[in-house]
Amino acid sequence: MKKFLVIFMTFILLFCCSACSDNNETTAMNDNNLNLSYKKIPLINHSVEYDLQNDYIATYFYQNGNVPLIDINNFVASLNGFIDVEKINYVIDKSNNYLIQRWFSDNYTYQLKIYWDSNTIFVNDINYFNITKNIKGINYSAHNKWIDCTASNKKSVTFNAGNYYFDILYYNQKVLVPLPILNVLFCSMNQTNLLYNGEEYHFYYGIPSKELSLSMRESKLNNSKCPDDVRQASINGLIFTMNYFYGLNEYKDIDFDFKNYISAQQLSDLWSNDYLVYNSAYMEIIQQGLDELHTNLSYPSVYNNLEDVFDIYNNENIGKNWNDFYTSFNELEMNYSNTFKEKIPVRFDGKTAFIKFDNFETAPDNVLYDENGNLKHDAWENDTFYFMLNAMDIIKKQNNIENIVVDLTTNGGGNLGAMYSAVGFLTNDNINLPSYNTLTKEFRLDYYAIDSDDDGDYKDKDAYTQYNWYILTSRNTFSAANYFASVAKNMGIATVIGEKTGGGMCSVMPCILLDGTTFRISSNNSLRYHYYDDESNQNIYYEIESGIAPDYEIDRENFYDLSYLDKFITNINK
């Protein structure tokens, strides 16, 4: 079997709760003739969300090679505490050259097959990789409860690693997979990543802080030439990730092979061993080329000087969309501060209350509650649900209020769980959340119940439907705020006023390349606007990346003129 370099490859999973094989070993295709080196590489956990149980990962390398190869079962076992390894079992079929891994939930079998002879990975359900422990110290599902969904048939996915020059090895009865593939499937898809700095593995959650990034990237590799095999693995890892997981390929008219989106000069620059050259190519492709706010570079490679940064806000390094967004944001922020001087939860004018917040947040438990489990008096300052609850307590004391405006003009998004709970203040109905998975081609309409008065009862009618709800939007109403406006308009529970929103329909997926370059992308999970089309007799899940048009347009110079808005709304209600 021809074995290429190894990198970003496969949908492989899991641990050894049970292993068995009665097949004839002599019929198996294997790679035992390879001379691989073996190391125990330290594993350092930087996440507070998960308690890892192990402190190293057994790793193999080609002779004089730099791309980590890890036994799939050992990889999963090494991440015990993040991955729920006890649920997983596996079987290796040596005569047919594949490994099967499975776990079970609610009478459903999640299954993965790794074929080392063809370098392909088959998964019957993309949620196979969602076998993780609960996040510690924060409840993203607080106040919202999943009820049901309608969905199109889920489709299986086959990842062809060989197309990206990644090789899966069957070596001494172990199925070895390149780190970049293992990382993107098990970690990136679950908001975590493993950074390999040539000396250690560093496990982290989300986008690391500057201080954490410096700590993880510090190694003997700093300020050095990047080896050829790492360049190949990084390039193909990028293409693999973008082909399978970038949610805006169709929206941006990028065909299946992201390599075709990269110019010949950019590809040549990516192959350079000089970090200044390949950093420039990353900047051109990701920042300037894609030019969308859910996809951006975070930190440069471990081969850079440690203090190097990506200057992604420099006008020379960003595209028109980024520039327009921040020009607009600065204008609105200045207008607001000149009008009100300070931000407070609720303002009033006439018969209208105005609520403004700039992101959707779910606060950690230790921020919300004291040592006795009592809710802190300032919880509302750090958590959107309690912000809304506090605002409603203030509004209820004003007997003349008929309308509520939720000002999202400078809200750039945030946590979707917090957004779901906020929508629940507007309606007693289960909220409807349409989505589309660009990888599996699955359309979903999920239904959530919201506990809007924080009493633990999801069936009581506790929303604030006695008010007329309005949402004030702008070019800077983005991401989760864009979805808030979309869901409310889709359900007919609020009237959208202002400007067309700024879009941002995909969940964010943090990623890392083998050279240590960290970035994030718009993932394959895209949020949608749903309606039934009588003419075609079909359910339509319309993209909202282009933004949500308001029901009534308002010039931005009037956004913070509360008297004008109160009169405008009064005329709508006549």
Side-chain angles (χ1 to χ4, degrees):
M1 174 170 58
K2 208 174 208 183
K3 294 293 172 187
F4 298 98
L5 261 180
V6 275
I7 192 167
F8 217 177
M9 202 230 103
T10 70
F11 240 109
I12 42 198
L13 204 78
L14 291 97
F15 176 56
C16 54
C17 284
S18 64
C20 61
S21 177
D22 297 323
N23 300 294
N24 187 344
E25 176 73 16
T26 61
T27 66
M29 179 178 290
N30 64 64
D31 299 284
N32 295 341
N33 61 310
L34 295 175
N35 185 16
L36 303 182
S37 62
Y38 169 83
K39 295 180 182 179
K40 288 185 177 180
I41 297 180
L43 170 62
I44 301 173
N45 180 23
H46 298 280
S47 73
V48 297
E49 292 79 8
Y50 300 102
D51 288 328
L52 298 189
Q53 304 301 308
N54 299 284
D55 58 6
Y56 75 90
I57 300 178
T59 304
Y60 293 82
F61 295 88
Y62 289 109
Q63 288 299 308
N64 301 315
N66 302 282
V67 180
L69 306 171
I70 306 172
D71 171 27
I72 177 64
N73 298 315
N74 179 261
F75 179 84
V76 171
S78 297
L79 294 181
N80 186 17
F82 163 58
I83 297 174
D84 195 352
V85 298
E86 295 180 357
K87 292 183 179 180
I88 302 165
N89 63 75
Y90 77 90
V91 175
I92 295 179
D93 187 332
K94 302 173 186 177
S95 62
N96 290 303
N97 305 306
Y98 65 76
L99 175 149
I100 300 179
Q101 296 170 328
R102 304 184 184 95
W103 61 278
F104 308 92
S105 178
D106 297 328
N107 298 317
Y108 184 77
T109 302
Y110 294 89
Q111 181 171 291
L112 172 80
K113 273 190 176 183
I114 304 175
Y115 296 88
W116 59 80
D117 58 344
S118 62
N119 295 318
T120 57
I121 300 171
F122 166 88
V123 63
N124 71 331
D125 191 313
I126 194 67
N127 292 317
Y128 183 85
F129 297 103
N130 292 347
I131 185 167
T132 60
K133 297 282 190 177
N134 291 331
I135 293 177
K136 289 176 48 189
I138 189 168
N139 183 6
Y140 288 109
S141 299
H143 320 296
N144 61 75
K145 180 180 180 182
W146 184 84
I147 300 299
D148 199 0
C149 78
T150 57
S152 59
N153 292 330
K154 297 181 180 180
K155 294 186 177 180
S156 61
V157 179
T158 298
F159 294 86
N160 191 328
N163 285 347
Y164 303 87
Y165 303 97
F166 295 132
D167 204 7
I168 303 171
L169 307 181
Y170 183 56
Y171 177 80
N172 290 343
Q173 302 185 56
K174 296 179 176 63
V175 179
L176 304 183
V177 181
L179 170 65
I181 300 302
L182 291 170
N183 179 74
V184 72
L185 297 179
F186 286 104
C187 297
S188 298
M189 288 179 62
N190 290 300
Q191 298 296 304
T192 64
N193 279 287
L194 272 177
L195 183 150
Y196 175 58
N197 67 5
E199 301 170 345
E200 304 151 331
Y201 292 118
H202 293 264
F203 178 82
Y204 63 93
Y205 181 87
I207 303 296
S209 66
K210 179 180 178 181
E211 293 74 21
L212 177 55
S213 175
L214 287 171
S215 173
M216 294 190 298
R217 288 163 49 230
E218 184 174 7
S219 80
K220 64 184 180 183
L221 299 180
N222 298 155
N223 194 26
S224 65
K225 297 293 184 181
C226 185
D228 288 343
D229 59 345
V230 175
R231 294 306 322 134
Q232 178 172 341
S234 299
I235 295 167
N236 287 301
L238 173 65
I239 297 171
F240 179 94
T241 301
M242 300 305 286
N243 278 351
Y244 285 110
F245 295 104
Y246 186 53
L248 296 181
N249 281 323
E250 181 178 351
Y251 178 82
K252 289 182 170 290
D253 294 322
I254 301 173
D255 66 22
F256 181 77
D257 194 352
F258 191 78
K259 183 178 179 180
N260 295 334
Y261 181 77
I262 302 172
S263 71
Q265 183 59 57
Q266 289 168 344
L267 187 60
S268 176
D269 290 346
L270 286 176
W271 270 103
S272 173
N273 304 107
D274 185 339
Y275 57 78
L276 293 177
V277 178
Y278 61 74
N279 281 354
S280 179
Y282 287 146
M283 189 71 74
E284 289 180 10
I285 295 165
I286 294 176
Q287 294 295 142
Q288 298 170 348
L290 294 177
D291 190 24
E292 54 99 357
L293 280 80
H294 272 163
T295 299
N296 63 269
L297 296 165
S298 301
Y299 302 104
S301 75
V302 298
Y303 298 90
N304 276 69
N305 283 313
L306 187 59
E307 292 77 18
D308 288 350
V309 297
F310 285 124
D311 189 5
I312 64 172
Y313 298 104
N314 187 312
N315 286 339
E316 295 181 358
N317 294 332
I318 60 177
K320 183 179 184 303
N321 187 43
W322 273 72
N323 186 68
D324 290 349
F325 184 91
Y326 283 104
T327 299
S328 169
F329 181 82
N330 291 334
E331 177 187 330
L332 291 173
E333 282 281 276
M334 182 176 295
N335 290 348
Y336 187 87
S337 62
N338 287 340
T339 303
F340 299 115
K341 308 306 180 185
E342 63 176 348
K343 292 183 180 180
I344 60 176
V346 186
R347 299 182 190 276
F348 299 96
D349 195 287
K351 297 181 179 181
T352 305
F354 299 85
I355 301 172
K356 181 175 174 58
F357 54 96
D358 289 342
N359 47 51
F360 289 91
E361 294 181 290
T362 300
D365 293 344
N366 62 355
V367 173
L368 293 175
Y369 306 102
D370 63 23
E371 60 275 9
N372 297 317
N374 299 311
L375 187 70
K376 295 180 181 179
H377 72 278
D378 60 350
W380 66 272
E381 296 180 3
N382 303 289
D383 186 279
T384 301
F385 176 84
Y386 289 109
F387 176 93
M388 290 290 291
L389 201 59
N390 178 66
M392 298 314 302
D393 286 341
I394 296 172
I395 293 170
K396 285 187 297 183
K397 296 175 182 177
Q398 305 292 321
N399 295 327
N400 65 321
I401 298 302
E402 298 178 1
N403 315 303
I404 298 177
V405 174
V406 181
D407 182 349
L408 301 182
T409 53
T410 53
N411 190 309
N415 173 254
L416 284 175
M419 189 229 84
Y420 302 166
S421 297
V423 174
F425 282 79
L426 282 64
T427 179
N428 284 313
D429 295 333
N430 292 335
I431 60 172
N432 305 338
L433 303 171
S435 64
Y436 172 63
N437 190 304
T438 60
L439 177 60
T440 64
K441 312 303 181 186
E442 178 192 18
F443 294 98
R444 287 178 63 96
L445 186 57
D446 288 272
Y447 304 92
Y448 279 76
I450 308 299
D451 174 24
S452 296
D453 59 1
D454 200 28
D455 66 351
D457 187 349
Y458 286 86
K459 295 183 179 179
D460 59 348
K461 305 298 183 181
D462 52 14
Y464 298 86
T465 56
Q466 67 269 37
Y467 300 104
N468 303 311
W469 287 88
Y470 294 83
I471 303 171
L472 182 62
T473 61
S474 80
R475 168 75 173 81
N476 297 97
T477 304
F478 185 73
S479 191
N482 178 55
Y483 197 34
F484 183 98
S486 175
V487 170
K489 182 174 181 176
N490 208 168
M491 292 182 64
I493 57 177
T495 301
V496 180
I497 60 177
E499 294 177 344
K500 189 175 185 179
T501 63
M505 72 175 178
C506 295
S507 300
V508 173
M509 178 172 158
C511 304
I512 190 167
L513 302 178
L514 186 62
D515 63 18
T517 301
T518 57
F519 63 109
R520 66 175 193 166
I521 64 171
S522 289
S523 75
N524 50 293
N525 179 39
S526 67
L527 311 173
R528 299 290 171 130
Y529 186 98
H530 168 262
Y531 66 92
Y532 184 79
D533 183 60
D534 291 325
E535 185 174 339
S536 64
N537 195 30
Q538 289 182 332
N539 284 298
I540 305 298
Y541 289 77
Y542 188 76
E543 59 87 7
I544 59 174
E545 183 68 20
S546 302
I548 301 298
D551 297 304
Y552 298 91
E553 292 187 5
I554 295 177
D555 293 337
R556 60 171 47 199
E557 56 263 31
N558 296 317
F559 279 1
Y560 308 127
D561 185 339
L562 304 190
S563 178
Y564 174 88
L565 293 177
D566 175 63
K567 293 175 182 177
F568 187 92
I569 290 170
T570 300
N571 288 330
I572 293 176
N573 293 334
K574 285 182 179 179

